[in-house]
Amino acid sequence: MPIGVVGAIIGASVIGAGASLIASSNASNAASNTAAQNNALEGQIYQSNKALETPFINSGDTAETELNGFLGLGGDPNATDAAFQKYLDSTGYQFNLDQGVDAVAQSKAASGLLGSGSLVKALDAYGTGLADQYGQQYVGDLQNEVSTGAGAANALAGQGQAYAGQVSANNNNAATASANAGYSAANAFNTAIGTSLGAISRGGTSFFGGGGSGSFNAFAPIGG
């Protein structure tokens, strides 16, 4: 085979291998860029969810602290009392207390017992019952806050796991694409080398000069 034809075959093989390498590199870069963009989007979504749920989590934590203190499970007693009093002030407790005391006093006055011990007992019973009622209501409200906070925390934990899983999947896909691109480039070069060696062998051309017998042995001793 003429040397020019052999050279043309070799050149075409090298050009083809180079084009395959460029294409493989582009594919690998595209996969990496896509993974990075997807990861950034997943991060934005997670941070947005975190911003939405953090206030509920914080409120739940605060409510749990107040609940534990109210139940005698820890905390600062003064702070617990202040929190409960603040809660009572925000409800109709004082109004109901005043109305109830007036009603009891009027009832006892009508019976001629305004200055009796029974009035004191009646007022004490009413006040204790009302305080207990609002205490139970306070506990229930705190429990609701704790439950809401726990739900938000669990939701955020699930979203965090989903975020980590999706980022891992994106990175794994990019790594697989990059590895496949590398294999493709290597195969292209192996094919090019094989084509070139075959062309040299068929053309009877030796790397070491002179004519050949139509075969090529890269390991033949020089001058042998």
Side-chain angles (χ1 to χ4, degrees):
M1 182 182 294
I3 296 299
V5 175
V6 173
I9 294 175
I10 294 175
S13 299
V14 171
I15 291 173
S20 178
L21 175 61
I22 293 173
S24 298
S25 178
N26 289 340
S28 177
N29 291 336
S32 297
N33 291 337
T34 299
Q37 292 172 0
N38 289 341
N39 291 345
L41 178 60
E42 292 292 334
Q44 291 174 2
I45 294 173
Y46 175 74
Q47 291 300 327
S48 177
N49 289 333
K50 182 179 179 180
L52 291 172
E53 293 173 9
T54 294
F56 297 99
I57 295 174
N58 292 339
S59 294
D61 290 341
T62 301
E64 184 172 13
T65 299
E66 299 298 342
L67 179 60
N68 288 337
F70 190 76
L71 297 177
L73 300 178
D76 181 358
N78 292 330
T80 296
D81 291 342
F84 183 51
Q85 186 60 53
K86 193 172 183 179
Y87 171 80
L88 292 177
D89 293 342
S90 68
T91 65
Y93 169 76
Q94 191 60 49
F95 175 79
N96 289 331
L97 179 62
D98 293 341
Q99 292 295 310
V101 168
D102 289 344
V104 171
Q106 290 174 9
S107 176
K108 292 298 181 180
S111 301
L113 301 173
L114 189 59
S116 67
S118 64
L119 173 61
V120 176
K121 292 181 180 179
L123 291 175
D124 182 67
Y126 176 77
T128 300
L130 187 65
D132 182 67
Q133 174 187 336
Y134 275 87
Q136 294 297 326
Q137 180 178 312
Y138 180 57
V139 169
D141 289 344
L142 288 177
Q143 289 175 333
N144 289 336
E145 284 294 318
V146 171
S147 178
T148 299
N154 289 334
L156 187 61
Q159 291 158 2
Q161 292 177 347
Y163 168 53
Q166 189 58 57
V167 168
S168 296
N170 293 339
N171 293 340
N172 288 338
N173 290 338
T176 299
S178 180
N180 289 338
Y183 291 143
S184 177
N187 289 334
F189 272 107
N190 287 336
T191 300
I193 292 173
T195 301
S196 299
L197 292 177
I200 292 171
S201 176
R202 288 190 298 274
T205 304
S206 171
F207 283 129
F208 307 107
S213 61
S215 64
F216 173 73
N217 184 358
F219 301 99
I222 299 176

